[in-house]
Amino acid sequence: MSRQSAAEFEEHLRGQVASLHRRQMELLNGRTQREAAVGTLEKLRSDVAALRQEQESLKQARDQLQTDLTRLREEQAAARDTSGQIRATSGAIASPAAREREADHVSIVTAQKALTKLGYGPLSVDGIMGPRTRQALENFQHDHELKVTSELDSPTLRQLTASNQTATLE
């Protein structure tokens, strides 16, 4: 009888050892998973910090663009006022061609500033449709799936204005 109870006891102990071994393996697997999760969490924290810095940088860029846009609008209004005063003072009425040249100049200046802000330059903001401005327009048109003309046509000007406003709002 004692042999049988010793065999049963040994079998019982073997079962407990096996159970403890399984539990130990589960704990080790859990530890490995926890360590991996902590590593992932640290990476995510680092990514969040980088994204917060980028967000702050984008906010500053947006604020600068809004300031520049406001200044540009004021400059355009002042240019219109000045040209109107010059015409009124001289008593001469500007020809349609002169008004068109003035509008083209303002449009080109606006486009050069917007293209630069959107990363298509640095461009000289001089109101002259030079080769760098044409190349920037071509790249912008290509990127926005417009007809590539390297000219400041109406669809390009509309898309450029919309893109610049979107960038300013972000």
Side-chain angles (χ1 to χ4, degrees), residues 8 11 13 16 19 48 51 55 66 72 82 95 103 112 121 131 138 140 147-149 157-158 161 168:
E8 289 174 357
E11 186 62 32
L13 286 176
Q16 285 184 338
S19 176
V48 166
L51 287 171
Q55 179 186 27
Q66 287 175 332
L72 177 62
T82 302
S95 69
Q112 287 170 328
E138 180 179 324
F140 179 82
K147 182 178 179 184
V148 178
T149 64
L157 188 56
R158 276 193 300 277
T161 302
T168 300

Short mmCIF file of all heavy atoms in Angstrom, two decimals, residues 8 11 13 16 19 48 51 55 66 72 82 95 103 112 121 131 138 140 147-149 157-158 161 168:
data_model
loop_
_atom_site.label_atom_id
_atom_site.label_comp_id
_atom_site.label_asym_id
_atom_site.label_seq_id
_atom_site.Cartn_x
_atom_site.Cartn_y
_atom_site.Cartn_z
N GLU A 8 1.53 7.31 -6.17
CA GLU A 8 0.49 8.33 -6.38
C GLU A 8 1.01 9.70 -5.98
O GLU A 8 0.77 10.70 -6.66
CB GLU A 8 -0.75 7.98 -5.56
CG GLU A 8 -1.51 6.81 -6.07
CD GLU A 8 -2.66 6.42 -5.15
OE1 GLU A 8 -2.83 7.03 -4.07
OE2 GLU A 8 -3.38 5.50 -5.53
N GLU A 11 3.39 10.90 -8.62
CA GLU A 11 2.62 11.33 -9.79
C GLU A 11 1.98 12.68 -9.53
O GLU A 11 1.98 13.56 -10.41
CB GLU A 11 1.55 10.28 -10.13
CG GLU A 11 0.78 10.56 -11.40
CD GLU A 11 1.67 10.57 -12.63
OE1 GLU A 11 2.67 9.84 -12.68
OE2 GLU A 11 1.36 11.35 -13.55
N LEU A 13 3.11 14.97 -7.48
CA LEU A 13 4.20 15.96 -7.50
C LEU A 13 4.63 16.28 -8.93
O LEU A 13 4.88 17.43 -9.28
CB LEU A 13 5.39 15.47 -6.68
CG LEU A 13 5.24 15.51 -5.16
CD1 LEU A 13 6.46 14.91 -4.49
CD2 LEU A 13 5.01 16.92 -4.67
N GLN A 16 2.19 18.65 -10.36
CA GLN A 16 2.38 20.01 -9.84
C GLN A 16 3.60 20.67 -10.48
O GLN A 16 3.57 21.85 -10.80
CB GLN A 16 2.52 19.97 -8.32
CG GLN A 16 1.20 19.74 -7.60
CD GLN A 16 1.35 19.81 -6.09
OE1 GLN A 16 2.44 19.62 -5.55
NE2 GLN A 16 0.24 20.06 -5.42
N SER A 19 2.64 21.68 -13.88
CA SER A 19 1.77 22.85 -13.79
C SER A 19 2.59 24.10 -13.49
O SER A 19 2.36 25.17 -14.09
CB SER A 19 0.72 22.62 -12.70
OG SER A 19 -0.07 23.77 -12.53
N VAL A 48 5.17 61.13 -30.55
CA VAL A 48 4.23 62.18 -30.13
C VAL A 48 4.99 63.48 -29.86
O VAL A 48 4.57 64.56 -30.28
CB VAL A 48 3.41 61.74 -28.89
CG1 VAL A 48 2.70 62.92 -28.25
CG2 VAL A 48 2.41 60.67 -29.28
N LEU A 51 5.94 64.94 -33.16
CA LEU A 51 4.75 65.49 -33.83
C LEU A 51 4.31 66.80 -33.18
O LEU A 51 3.88 67.72 -33.87
CB LEU A 51 3.61 64.47 -33.81
CG LEU A 51 3.80 63.28 -34.74
CD1 LEU A 51 2.72 62.24 -34.48
CD2 LEU A 51 3.77 63.73 -36.19
N GLN A 55 4.02 70.19 -35.07
CA GLN A 55 2.77 70.96 -35.02
C GLN A 55 3.06 72.41 -34.65
O GLN A 55 2.52 73.33 -35.24
CB GLN A 55 1.81 70.33 -34.01
CG GLN A 55 0.50 71.08 -33.88
CD GLN A 55 -0.37 70.50 -32.76
OE1 GLN A 55 0.12 69.92 -31.81
NE2 GLN A 55 -1.67 70.67 -32.89
N GLN A 66 0.00 83.99 -42.48
CA GLN A 66 -1.14 84.89 -42.30
C GLN A 66 -0.67 86.33 -42.20
O GLN A 66 -1.27 87.23 -42.79
CB GLN A 66 -1.93 84.50 -41.05
CG GLN A 66 -2.74 83.24 -41.25
CD GLN A 66 -3.44 82.78 -39.98
OE1 GLN A 66 -2.98 83.03 -38.87
NE2 GLN A 66 -4.55 82.07 -40.15
N LEU A 72 0.68 91.57 -47.58
CA LEU A 72 0.56 91.59 -49.03
C LEU A 72 -0.74 92.26 -49.46
O LEU A 72 -0.76 93.09 -50.38
CB LEU A 72 0.62 90.17 -49.60
CG LEU A 72 0.43 90.03 -51.10
CD1 LEU A 72 1.52 90.77 -51.85
CD2 LEU A 72 0.42 88.57 -51.50
N THR A 82 -2.37 104.14 -54.49
CA THR A 82 -1.33 105.01 -55.04
C THR A 82 -1.50 105.18 -56.53
O THR A 82 -1.43 106.30 -57.05
CB THR A 82 0.07 104.43 -54.74
OG1 THR A 82 0.20 104.28 -53.34
CG2 THR A 82 1.17 105.32 -55.28
N SER A 95 -4.74 103.56 -69.27
CA SER A 95 -5.25 102.76 -70.38
C SER A 95 -5.57 101.35 -69.89
O SER A 95 -5.03 100.90 -68.88
CB SER A 95 -4.21 102.69 -71.49
OG SER A 95 -3.10 101.90 -71.06
N ALA A 103 -2.27 94.68 -62.99
CA ALA A 103 -2.92 93.48 -62.44
C ALA A 103 -2.01 92.26 -62.60
O ALA A 103 -1.89 91.44 -61.69
CB ALA A 103 -4.26 93.24 -63.11
N GLN A 112 4.42 84.50 -56.72
CA GLN A 112 5.79 84.26 -56.26
C GLN A 112 5.84 84.05 -54.76
O GLN A 112 6.52 83.16 -54.27
CB GLN A 112 6.70 85.43 -56.68
CG GLN A 112 6.99 85.43 -58.17
CD GLN A 112 7.68 86.71 -58.63
OE1 GLN A 112 7.45 87.79 -58.08
NE2 GLN A 112 8.50 86.58 -59.65
N GLY A 121 10.20 77.37 -54.12
CA GLY A 121 11.25 78.35 -54.39
C GLY A 121 12.14 78.42 -53.20
O GLY A 121 11.93 77.70 -52.28
N PRO A 131 12.64 82.85 -65.43
CA PRO A 131 12.75 81.39 -65.59
C PRO A 131 12.52 80.61 -64.28
O PRO A 131 11.95 79.53 -64.32
CB PRO A 131 14.19 81.18 -66.10
CG PRO A 131 14.90 82.47 -65.90
CD PRO A 131 13.88 83.55 -65.81
N GLU A 138 5.60 75.51 -63.26
CA GLU A 138 5.53 74.21 -63.93
C GLU A 138 5.48 73.08 -62.89
O GLU A 138 4.66 72.16 -63.00
CB GLU A 138 6.75 74.04 -64.83
CG GLU A 138 6.78 72.72 -65.58
CD GLU A 138 7.99 72.59 -66.48
OE1 GLU A 138 8.41 73.60 -67.08
OE2 GLU A 138 8.51 71.45 -66.58
N PHE A 140 4.50 73.28 -59.74
CA PHE A 140 3.22 73.39 -59.04
C PHE A 140 2.10 72.79 -59.89
O PHE A 140 1.27 72.02 -59.40
CB PHE A 140 2.92 74.85 -58.69
CG PHE A 140 1.61 75.04 -57.99
CD1 PHE A 140 1.50 74.84 -56.62
CD2 PHE A 140 0.46 75.40 -58.69
CE1 PHE A 140 0.30 75.01 -55.97
CE2 PHE A 140 -0.74 75.56 -58.05
CZ PHE A 140 -0.83 75.36 -56.68
N LYS A 147 -2.91 71.54 -66.23
CA LYS A 147 -2.24 71.56 -67.52
C LYS A 147 -0.93 72.32 -67.33
O LYS A 147 -0.92 73.46 -66.86
CB LYS A 147 -3.11 72.25 -68.56
CG LYS A 147 -2.50 72.26 -69.94
CD LYS A 147 -3.42 72.90 -70.95
CE LYS A 147 -2.76 72.92 -72.31
NZ LYS A 147 -3.60 73.63 -73.29
N VAL A 148 0.18 71.68 -67.68
CA VAL A 148 1.50 72.28 -67.46
C VAL A 148 1.79 73.26 -68.60
O VAL A 148 2.03 72.86 -69.74
CB VAL A 148 2.60 71.20 -67.36
CG1 VAL A 148 3.97 71.83 -67.18
CG2 VAL A 148 2.29 70.24 -66.22
N THR A 149 1.74 74.55 -68.25
CA THR A 149 1.98 75.62 -69.23
C THR A 149 3.14 76.52 -68.82
O THR A 149 3.60 77.31 -69.63
CB THR A 149 0.72 76.49 -69.37
OG1 THR A 149 0.47 77.13 -68.11
CG2 THR A 149 -0.48 75.69 -69.81
N LEU A 157 -3.74 79.98 -61.02
CA LEU A 157 -3.89 81.02 -60.00
C LEU A 157 -4.94 80.62 -58.97
O LEU A 157 -4.74 80.81 -57.77
CB LEU A 157 -4.24 82.36 -60.65
CG LEU A 157 -4.24 83.58 -59.74
CD1 LEU A 157 -2.89 83.74 -59.05
CD2 LEU A 157 -4.57 84.83 -60.53
N ARG A 158 -6.07 80.04 -59.43
CA ARG A 158 -7.10 79.59 -58.49
C ARG A 158 -6.56 78.51 -57.56
O ARG A 158 -6.74 78.56 -56.34
CB ARG A 158 -8.33 79.06 -59.25
CG ARG A 158 -9.31 80.13 -59.67
CD ARG A 158 -10.63 79.53 -60.12
NE ARG A 158 -10.52 78.61 -61.24
CZ ARG A 158 -10.47 78.97 -62.52
NH1 ARG A 158 -10.56 80.24 -62.84
NH2 ARG A 158 -10.37 78.08 -63.46
N THR A 161 -3.96 79.94 -55.11
CA THR A 161 -4.62 80.70 -54.05
C THR A 161 -5.26 79.75 -53.03
O THR A 161 -5.10 79.94 -51.83
CB THR A 161 -5.69 81.64 -54.65
OG1 THR A 161 -5.05 82.50 -55.60
CG2 THR A 161 -6.34 82.48 -53.58
N THR A 168 -2.16 78.24 -45.07
CA THR A 168 -2.24 79.29 -44.05
C THR A 168 -3.17 78.87 -42.93
O THR A 168 -2.88 79.11 -41.77
CB THR A 168 -2.76 80.60 -44.69
OG1 THR A 168 -1.85 80.98 -45.73
CG2 THR A 168 -2.85 81.71 -43.67
#
